[in-house]
């Protein structure tokens, strides 16, 4: 007998539940995947932010250590209590900032005790000498030599941190690798057969505890180039306002060649100007007085430096003469990538007084003598008619205010800016220190106050100060 079996009918409700369950799990998986991706991206973003803060800390520590080295050199040659006090305050501030920057790095396990101790001693010793000088006690030669020894260690620290900064910026090493190195070192893991020249453990930070060779790198683009720019400009004060058309005519004449400046805007600053520009050129002319404020042109790559420094200087001088700017004398310069940047300062009394307040910068191509850039903002802000009285001190009387650690090579009169937006009449003494440093010291020509100390750097690429 044939029996017919009918298949069991599936419960519709069970099918719906199954489908809902599958859909729910699918959505859950997708949500988990999205959440995991989002978390991963957030972690990457957080890591990038952390790396950025670490890089900023390294950059700040590098700048602090460089400044400490420079200020220690100045401390070696400071000849007045007021100057020593100012230098000591800067050293204290820079040392504290350097410690704060290093403490922000992920290397707490390294216990950089000697490094922190050195930074503390720099500030403490400087303040000790400042208090001694302010009470009228003489700073001994041995104490000045201590400054030199501190300076040598600061140089080594500066070089080491600068090397780390370069390795981080080029990707040669990352902070993640440094953290792993620190952990490995703490766990006793050491690299096998390290060779000389390899990156030291923990990115070289632990090497700062032991000492290493190094040298100072002091770069600055001219004395007093950061003179205050937020004062009311002298040259445009009360000057008549020119039209846009007059300004364009002035702008086109700035290049000495046919150029097109199809775009125009107005610059609202301490020196309100008409700005004319194209893809390659930009020129600003002040609204009041119609003075050429600044101009920049294209800077070719791979410039072949065939001109001598004298030829480039002559091109810059001729350019200033064509603009009708008189009595400018070159002071300091730098050559980089075939371009010579020259600082010019206004001179008074037939060139006998150098006014470092009234500066103009000119960039010259050492391939053909073309003027690539011009910046007269410092000159426009500070230049004015002046009447000099004095000096009340003779050059010999001013010399007696210098540190005994300095030997004078030359002297001249100058005008320098102060932090209070004023000007001070000084003797500028070019000296050589006992440690071989070239030093510029500025003594107030009327009061004998030691106003400023700069370190002079001269080599085949320029003459700069720090």
């Amino acid at each position: 007998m044939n029996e017919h079996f009918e298949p069991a009918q599936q419960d519709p409700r069970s099918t719906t539940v199954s489908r809902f369950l599958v859909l729910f799990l699918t959505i859950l998986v997708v949500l988990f995947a999205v959440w995991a991706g989002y978390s991963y991206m957030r972690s990457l973003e957080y890591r990038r932010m952390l790396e950025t803060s670490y890089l900023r800390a390294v950059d700040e520590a590098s700048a602090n250590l460089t400044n400490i080295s420079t200020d220690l050199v100045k401390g070696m040659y400071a000849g007045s209590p007021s100057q020593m006090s100012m230098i000591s305050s800067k050293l204290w501030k820079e040392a504290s900032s350097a410690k704060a920057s290093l403490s922000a790095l992920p290397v707490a396990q390294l216990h950089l005790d000697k490094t922190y101790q050195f930074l503390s001693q720099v500030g403490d010793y400087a303040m000790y000498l400042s208090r001694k000088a302010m009470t009228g006690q003489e700073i001994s030669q041995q104490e000045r030599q201590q400054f030199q020894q501190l300076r040598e260690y600061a140089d080594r620290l500066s070089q080491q941190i600068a090397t780390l900064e370069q390795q981080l910026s080029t990707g040669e090493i990352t902070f993640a690798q440094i953290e792993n190195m620190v952990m490995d070192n703490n766990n006793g893991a050491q690299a096998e057969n390290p060779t000389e020249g390899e990156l030291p453990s923990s990115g070289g930070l632990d090497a700062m505890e032991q000492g290493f060779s190094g040298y100072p790198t002091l770069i600055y683009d001219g004395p007093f180039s950061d003179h205050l720019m937020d004062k009311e400009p002298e040259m445009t004060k009360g000057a008549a306002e020119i039209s846009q058309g007059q300004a364009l005519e002035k702008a086109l004449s700035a290049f000495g060649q046919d150029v097109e400046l199809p775009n125009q805007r107005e610059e609202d600053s301490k020196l309100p100007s008409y700005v004319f520009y194209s893809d390659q050129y930009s020129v600003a002319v002040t609204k009041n007085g119609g003075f050429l404020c600044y101009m920049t042109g294209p800077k070719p790559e791979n410039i072949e430096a065939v001109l001598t420094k004298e030829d480039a200087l002559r091109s810059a001088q001729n350019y200033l003469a064509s603009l009708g700017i008189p009595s400018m004398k070159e002071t300091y310069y730098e050559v980089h990538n075939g371009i010579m940047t020259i600082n010019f300062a206004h001179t008074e009394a037939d060139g006998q007084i150098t006014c470092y307040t009234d500066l103009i910068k000119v960039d010259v191509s050492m391939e053909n003598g073309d003027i690539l850039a011009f910046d007269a903002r410092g000159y426009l802000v500070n230049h004015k008619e002046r009447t000099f009285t004095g000096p009340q001190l003779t050059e010999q009387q001013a010399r007696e205010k210098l540190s005994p650690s300095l030997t004078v090579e030359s002297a001249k009169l100058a005008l320098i800016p102060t932090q209070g937006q004023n000007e001070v009449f000084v003797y500028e003494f070019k000296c050589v220190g006992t440690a071989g440093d070239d030093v510029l010291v500025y003594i107030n020509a009327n009061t004998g106050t030691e106003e400023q100390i700069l370190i002079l750097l001269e080599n085949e690429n320029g003459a700069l100060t720090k």
Side-chain angles (χ1 to χ4, degrees):
M1 183 172 85
N2 295 331
E3 294 185 359
H4 179 69
F5 294 96
E6 298 245 353
Q9 296 294 323
Q10 190 170 9
D11 189 348
R13 289 175 298 177
S14 176
T15 302
T16 301
V17 170
S18 298
R19 290 176 178 173
F20 178 78
L21 184 60
V22 170
L23 179 61
F24 174 76
L25 292 174
T26 301
I27 294 174
L28 194 61
V29 169
V30 171
L31 288 176
F32 272 119
V34 172
W35 177 81
Y38 175 76
S39 298
Y40 177 71
M41 294 302 295
R42 285 299 298 262
S43 66
L44 286 180
E45 182 181 359
Y46 174 75
R47 186 68 197 183
R48 282 195 295 267
M49 293 173 60
L50 203 58
E51 291 275 348
T52 300
S53 68
Y54 290 157
L55 284 171
R56 187 182 303 113
V58 171
D59 179 67
E60 291 173 354
S62 178
N64 293 144
L65 288 167
T66 299
N67 290 338
I68 286 171
S69 178
T70 301
D71 290 334
L72 285 169
V73 177
K74 294 180 180 181
M76 292 165 55
Y77 304 122
S80 66
S82 60
Q83 190 67 217
M84 179 61 77
S85 178
M86 182 173 63
I87 292 172
S88 299
S89 297
K90 291 176 64 179
L91 280 169
W92 181 278
K93 180 181 177 181
E94 295 289 352
S96 298
S97 297
K99 287 193 291 185
S101 298
L102 289 175
S103 65
L105 300 178
V107 291
Q109 299 91 332
L110 288 179
H111 305 297
L112 303 176
D113 298 332
K114 293 181 181 179
T115 300
Y116 290 130
Q117 180 182 3
F118 162 75
L119 292 172
S120 297
Q121 288 177 341
V122 165
D124 289 341
Y125 189 66
M127 295 305 291
Y128 156 72
L129 292 183
S130 175
R131 290 191 296 268
K132 185 175 180 180
M134 294 300 289
T135 57
Q137 302 178 63
E138 184 177 353
I139 298 175
S140 69
Q141 189 61 31
Q142 182 180 2
E143 288 171 328
R144 293 183 184 276
Q145 289 174 352
Q146 289 290 335
F147 257 56
Q148 182 175 347
Q149 293 173 5
L150 290 172
R151 176 252 187 117
E152 292 170 357
Y153 194 23
D155 289 343
R156 291 195 290 269
L157 291 177
S158 179
Q159 180 63 22
Q160 189 67 27
I161 201 74
T163 299
L164 173 62
E165 183 181 18
Q166 180 181 7
Q167 291 169 334
L168 288 167
S169 63
T170 59
E172 184 178 345
I173 189 173
T174 66
F175 276 103
Q177 290 174 317
I178 292 177
E179 291 177 271
N180 291 334
M181 291 174 187
V182 172
M183 293 179 62
D184 290 342
N185 288 344
N186 288 339
N187 294 330
Q190 301 291 335
E192 296 183 4
N193 302 322
T195 59
E196 184 177 356
E198 286 184 349
L199 184 69
S201 62
S202 63
L205 287 171
D206 51 353
M208 293 197 303
E209 291 293 279
Q210 302 171 16
F212 32 78
S213 60
Y215 56 90
T217 54
L218 309 174
I219 299 175
Y220 185 66
D221 66 350
F224 313 112
S225 64
D226 290 329
H227 53 280
L228 298 176
M229 295 289 292
D230 56 355
K231 60 185 289 189
E232 182 182 2
E234 296 288 346
M235 291 285 285
T236 58
K237 188 187 301 182
E241 186 170 338
I242 66 171
S243 67
Q244 180 178 323
Q246 291 172 314
L248 177 58
E249 183 179 349
K250 181 81 173 183
L252 290 172
S253 67
F255 292 101
Q257 55 182 314
D258 292 333
V259 297
E260 293 185 0
L261 301 169
N263 305 312
Q264 184 269 332
R265 63 180 175 86
E266 295 185 12
E267 185 174 290
D268 185 17
S269 63
K270 285 293 181 179
L271 287 164
S273 303
Y274 296 107
V275 181
F276 306 93
Y277 61 98
S278 64
D279 291 339
Q280 293 184 308
Y281 298 92
S282 179
V283 192
V285 177
T286 63
K287 292 182 179 180
N288 296 92
F291 299 106
L292 180 61
C293 187
Y294 64 83
M295 77 87 170
T296 59
K299 294 187 177 181
E301 296 182 359
N302 303 318
I303 295 178
E304 184 180 358
V306 296
L307 298 183
T308 65
K309 295 172 184 176
E310 291 73 20
D311 291 335
L313 175 60
R314 193 175 302 110
S315 292
Q317 290 171 328
N318 291 337
Y319 181 72
L320 292 179
S322 72
L323 297 176
I325 302 176
S327 304
M328 301 300 294
K329 180 178 176 56
E330 71 280 3
T331 55
Y332 300 92
Y333 71 94
E334 180 181 19
V335 177
H336 182 67
N337 291 336
I339 298 174
M340 185 174 177
T341 300
I342 310 166
N343 283 324
F344 288 90
H346 175 71
T347 62
E348 297 269 4
D350 296 327
Q352 299 303 308
I353 302 173
T354 303
C355 300
Y356 288 115
T357 49
D358 306 4
L359 291 182
I360 293 178
K361 287 185 183 181
V362 182
D363 285 0
V364 184
S365 167
M366 296 194 71
E367 184 172 36
N368 51 25
D370 286 350
I371 305 301
L372 304 178
F374 167 89
D375 189 342
R377 283 173 287 191
Y379 180 82
L380 296 176
V381 167
N382 293 283
H383 181 62
K384 61 183 178 181
E385 294 291 330
R386 299 181 176 92
T387 300
F388 290 90
T389 58
Q392 296 183 17
L393 298 182
T394 65
E395 181 183 317
Q396 182 58 40
Q397 289 173 321
R399 280 175 181 255
E400 294 172 359
K401 306 294 183 181
L402 296 171
S403 164
S405 300
L406 294 171
T407 300
V408 176
E409 290 191 329
S410 63
K412 66 179 181 181
L413 290 168
L415 190 73
I416 64 174
T418 68
Q419 293 183 351
Q421 300 185 13
N422 297 313
E423 301 173 343
V424 60
F425 189 33
V426 298
Y427 283 102
E428 178 187 68
F429 291 101
K430 182 179 179 183
C431 310
V432 176
T434 52
D437 302 285
D438 292 321
V439 184
L440 297 173
V441 183
Y442 297 86
I443 302 295
N444 191 303
N446 295 319
T447 67
T449 301
E450 190 175 43
E451 299 285 351
Q452 181 64 277
I453 297 177
L454 296 174
I455 309 303
L456 178 62
L457 306 173
E458 294 183 285
N459 55 42
E460 66 278 5
N461 293 319
L464 311 173
T465 61
K466 177 65 176 178

